[in-house]
Amino acid sequence: GKELDGEPTVTVRAVNSRKNQMCFDWGPGRLLVSNEPPSNKKEMCSCPFIYIIRKDVDRIDERLTGKIQKSQLVRVSKNYRSVIRACMEECTSVFAAKDPANGRQFSSQVSILSAMELIWNLCEILFIEVAPAGPLLLHLLDWVRLHVCEVDSLSADVLGSENPSKHDSFWNLGVDGMTSHGWSLPYTFATSPHLESLLKIMLGDEAALLEQKELLSNWYHFLVTRLLYSNPTVKPIDLHYYAQSSLDLFLGGESSPEPLDNILLAAFEFDIHQVIKECSIALSNWWFVAHLTDLLDHCKLLQSHNLYFGSNMREFLLLEYASGLFAHPSLWQLGVDYFDYCPELGRVSLELHIERIPLNTEQKALKVLRVCEQRQMTEQVRSICKILAMKAVRNNRLGSALSWSIRAKDAAFATLVSDRFLRDYCERGCFSDLDLIDNLGPAMMLSDRLTFLGKYREFHRMYGEKRFADAASLLLSLMTSRIAPRSFWMTLLTDALPLLEQKQVIFSAEQTYELMRCLEDLTSRRPVHGESDTEQLQDDDIETTKVEMLRLSLARNLARAIIREGSLEGS
């Protein structure tokens, strides 16, 4: 055999290998096989290569994929119904065991959940599970038996009695079993006077069936029973006619249809959009319609229905449900996931709702921040960090404020916090949050003031490590580069005093001249780089004493530096 497209093929003997006359034949697995023609017409190949030509697998794959997807969607739908039934059971147990005082409220919730499960199950049958030629009535019988019949409990009650045929509900059991389970006529009924009524029901007599109306819990129970005995092969297209007439016959003009009746009628009419509309009006929240619409959209039943403002119905309902989740203090994180599954407007909606979340605690703020960072929501990240930085400043937590301002990449606020750090240093004589300042790294380049803060802390670290020459160079560069705020110059010059008084000459003559120039610039009261006069040196006694000490120390150091440098040149 010869391999095509990397797949092994199967060698099949030619029909007439001597004459090499085989053109094609069906091979294993219903594959078309064809021999390779010889390159030379005169050449006869005793064992020609066999090519395998596959059938149109795309269509087969599409049908197979469709079946698999359908089964998966049905399974998902049943999981949703399981969730609804679990909620019903929980509400019932809470009502029965813990809070009988609020019975009306729990009863109402159970009724709503029961209606949800009833509608969902019918939509599952009509829109997802049953093919156009599928066993529709069998599914409807299961639907009625699951939701509205109590045959099993009634049967256990009757058959468990000492004399079942004398039980008050014996005949009711027979009618109920026929109308919901499709029971055939049992032999215990053969000689009973009620046999005629049962036979009429089996023959599809609507009047006889309506006489047993009290045993039929509602009109759709009547509908399924009517179809079972009058038209068991009903086509889906005829369901709406039977549903409407069954409702009219059952109500008999005595009452008006309830919202649930309108929803079920729309389902029997296969009007998906009307079902969704009626459910949106009748039910108490968006959970049901959002998830049902999402499931139907995955079944490709809503592709043609777009809303006028650009979003489709699935996305609109998911957005509404997610918005409701954001209004809850602890469910907003679930809303984030729903917004993520809305490709058109989900991102914009999430940005708007994220900004409205109250950041009551730093833990909650970190959760919100993580959501924004995972989705590259830069503006929201910056806004949240700035809010947290402002809160930290108000609480005098400068380290936290600086950390948040750096995370927000807010240069102006980082400058403000840096100024607070410097002012705090001037008042206390030491820095707070040293670990943060020591590990600023590249973040110190966010603003000039933050750069100065980091470098000034580095100067102190060098001084503590007795790296006096490096410390002196850094101190001078902070002043000559004008990174240091003018209001802090006197502090820097004062920091230079211990270095000027060292036994070893630390500042060179040129460096000493630079320090003198800075001191004169500071005391001359000339504005520097547009700074106002209020930021100038305050001429008081203390400052005057500092200036005189600095001038004396600078002059002494200059003399020592000149002598030292002259001696080095002479040698």
Side-chain angles (χ1 to χ4, degrees):
K2 188 171 184 177
E3 192 170 300
L4 292 179
D5 298 328
E7 295 188 6
T9 63
V10 180
T11 304
V12 181
R13 289 180 179 273
V15 174
N16 189 342
S17 59
R18 292 182 180 179
K19 295 183 180 181
N20 193 26
Q21 291 177 343
M22 188 191 80
C23 292
F24 68 88
D25 197 3
W26 289 111
R30 301 300 295 165
L31 301 176
L32 187 66
V33 295
S34 173
N35 68 307
E36 178 183 32
S39 58
N40 187 346
K41 291 183 179 181
K42 295 182 180 181
E43 177 185 355
M44 299 300 292
C45 182
S46 60
C47 185
F49 290 116
I50 300 296
Y51 286 105
I52 285 186
I53 305 168
R54 299 187 181 275
K55 295 177 73 175
D56 187 1
V57 294
D58 289 341
R59 294 183 183 178
I60 297 175
D61 288 345
E62 286 178 4
R63 291 197 295 270
L64 183 60
T65 303
K67 291 180 180 178
I68 294 174
Q69 185 182 27
K70 180 179 177 181
S71 65
Q72 291 174 340
L73 292 170
V74 170
R75 186 163 59 249
V76 170
S77 179
K78 289 180 178 179
N79 288 339
Y80 275 124
R81 290 200 290 115
S82 298
V83 171
I84 298 175
R85 294 191 74 85
C87 291
M88 289 172 55
E89 292 173 3
E90 183 177 356
C91 284
T92 303
S93 62
V94 169
F95 161 58
K98 295 182 179 180
D99 200 357
N102 293 328
R104 181 176 299 177
Q105 176 185 354
F106 283 111
S107 177
S108 174
Q109 291 177 356
V110 170
S111 298
I112 292 173
L113 290 169
S114 178
M116 286 182 177
E117 209 268 336
L118 173 74
I119 298 166
W120 192 296
N121 194 3
L122 182 60
C123 291
E124 178 186 300
I125 292 171
L126 297 179
F127 302 140
I128 305 174
E129 191 167 17
V130 179
L136 176 60
L137 188 57
L138 294 179
H139 287 281
L140 291 178
L141 275 171
D142 290 338
W143 175 63
V144 167
R145 185 161 54 244
L146 178 63
H147 294 283
V148 298
C149 295
E150 300 177 353
V151 176
D152 294 335
S153 59
L154 185 61
S155 175
D157 186 31
V158 172
L159 297 179
S161 63
E162 293 181 0
N163 192 348
S165 62
K166 300 298 183 180
H167 196 281
D168 293 340
S169 301
F170 179 70
W171 288 105
N172 293 348
L173 173 62
V175 174
D176 221 356
M178 290 176 59
T179 57
S180 60
H181 284 60
W183 288 352
S184 58
L185 189 66
Y187 179 79
T188 56
F189 293 167
T191 59
S192 169
H194 297 279
L195 178 60
E196 182 182 1
S197 176
L198 296 176
L199 288 175
K200 286 182 178 180
I201 292 174
M202 292 181 66
L203 292 174
D205 189 323
E206 293 180 356
L209 186 57
L210 281 173
E211 288 177 0
Q212 309 297 329
K213 180 178 177 180
E214 67 278 0
L215 298 178
L216 303 173
S217 49
N218 44 55
W219 68 268
Y220 41 93
H221 187 180
F222 172 68
L223 163 67
V224 176
T225 305
R226 178 187 178 194
L227 291 174
L228 176 63
Y229 294 110
S230 64
N231 190 1
T233 59
V234 63
K235 296 179 181 179
I237 196 172
D238 296 325
L239 268 180
H240 176 61
Y241 162 74
Y242 283 101
Q244 185 64 62
S245 60
S246 296
L247 175 63
D248 295 339
L249 286 170
F250 194 83
L251 296 181
E254 298 175 2
S255 58
S256 300
E258 299 290 334
L260 177 61
D261 300 329
N262 296 328
I263 295 171
L264 297 179
L265 282 176
F268 283 122
E269 195 176 358
F270 293 89
D271 190 341
I272 296 175
H273 303 110
Q274 189 63 26
V275 169
I276 296 171
K277 178 181 177 181
E278 295 286 348
C279 288
S280 300
I281 297 171
L283 301 179
S284 58
N285 62 60
W286 293 102
W287 182 92
F288 181 86
V289 289
H291 291 82
L292 179 62
T293 303
D294 178 63
L295 184 63
L296 295 176
D297 184 75
H298 279 82
C299 296
K300 303 189 184 306
L301 297 174
L302 296 171
Q303 301 302 309
S304 61
H305 194 80
N306 289 325
L307 303 178
Y308 68 92
F309 47 80
S311 178
N312 57 38
M313 181 177 286
R314 169 194 172 273
E315 179 160 323
F316 169 76
L317 293 173
L318 287 178
L319 290 172
E320 289 296 322
Y321 180 60
S323 299
L325 291 175
F326 260 83
H328 194 280
S330 60
L331 297 180
W332 64 269
Q333 292 179 84
L334 291 177
V336 173
D337 295 330
Y338 283 92
F339 281 133
D340 286 342
Y341 282 92
C342 298
E344 296 294 329
L345 300 175
R347 170 80 179 209
V348 176
S349 300
L350 177 58
E351 290 174 352
L352 293 174
H353 282 81
I354 278 285
E355 294 174 352
R356 299 172 187 169
I357 297 178
L359 305 178
N360 303 325
T361 64
E362 189 163 317
Q363 183 181 6
K364 186 174 183 180
L366 288 171
K367 290 181 180 179
V368 176
L369 196 60
R370 194 177 303 116
V371 167
C372 296
E373 288 177 338
Q374 288 172 348
R375 290 156 182 80
Q376 290 80 47
M377 297 166 61
T378 309
E379 290 301 320
Q380 284 69 29
V381 169
R382 185 173 295 139
S383 175
I384 292 169
C385 290
K386 189 168 183 179
I387 290 171
L388 294 173
M390 294 175 68
K391 285 185 177 180
V393 167
R394 286 197 294 268
N395 295 324
N396 204 32
R397 296 168 54 222
L398 298 183
S400 179
L402 183 58
S403 179
W404 284 120
S405 61
I406 291 173
R407 196 166 179 176
K409 296 181 173 58
D410 190 326
F413 205 82
T415 298
L416 173 66
V417 178
S418 299
D419 281 336
R420 288 284 300 269
F421 264 104
L422 295 173
R423 188 168 62 195
D424 190 54
Y425 171 80
C426 291
E427 293 174 357
R428 298 171 51 193
C430 62
F431 282 112
S432 59
D433 300 285
L434 286 179
D435 288 341
L436 175 62
I437 301 175
D438 287 342
N439 294 282
L440 285 174
M444 72 170 62
M445 305 304 295
L446 182 61
S447 74
D448 287 346
R449 198 60 47 83
L450 185 57
T451 302
F452 169 72
L453 177 64
K455 291 296 183 181
Y456 185 56
R457 167 57 190 160
E458 186 178 345
F459 160 76
H460 278 276
R461 191 166 57 249
M462 289 178 177
Y463 188 89
E465 296 169 356
K466 300 189 181 303
R467 296 162 53 194
F468 297 136
D470 293 337
S473 298
L474 178 57
L475 184 67
L476 185 63
S477 69
L478 290 177
M479 298 190 67
T480 56
S481 65
R482 298 296 194 263
I483 291 179
R486 186 180 180 86
S487 59
F488 211 75
W489 278 19
M490 181 55 72
T491 302
L492 294 177
L493 288 168
T494 305
D495 288 334
L497 274 174
L499 295 173
L500 292 169
E501 298 299 329
Q502 292 287 327
K503 292 182 179 180
Q504 180 184 357
V505 177
I506 305 298
F507 290 102
S508 67
E510 183 179 356
Q511 290 176 325
T512 307
Y513 281 126
E514 288 292 337
L515 288 174
M516 288 178 169
R517 191 177 301 114
C518 290
L519 179 59
E520 294 306 316
D521 192 15
L522 182 64
T523 56
S524 65
R525 299 181 179 272
R526 292 196 305 268
V528 178
H529 290 286
E531 292 183 349
S532 63
D533 291 338
T534 58
E535 294 177 342
Q536 302 279 335
L537 175 67
Q538 298 296 323
D539 189 12
D540 54 25
D541 294 339
I542 297 176
E543 296 299 324
T544 301
T545 302
K546 286 183 180 180
V547 170
E548 292 302 323
M549 289 177 61
L550 282 168
R551 283 175 175 162
L552 180 60
S553 185
L554 286 168
R556 260 198 315 260
N557 188 81
L558 179 60
R560 293 166 59 201
I562 292 174
I563 293 172
R564 179 175 178 276
E565 292 170 9
S567 300
L568 292 175
E569 289 178 2
S571 62

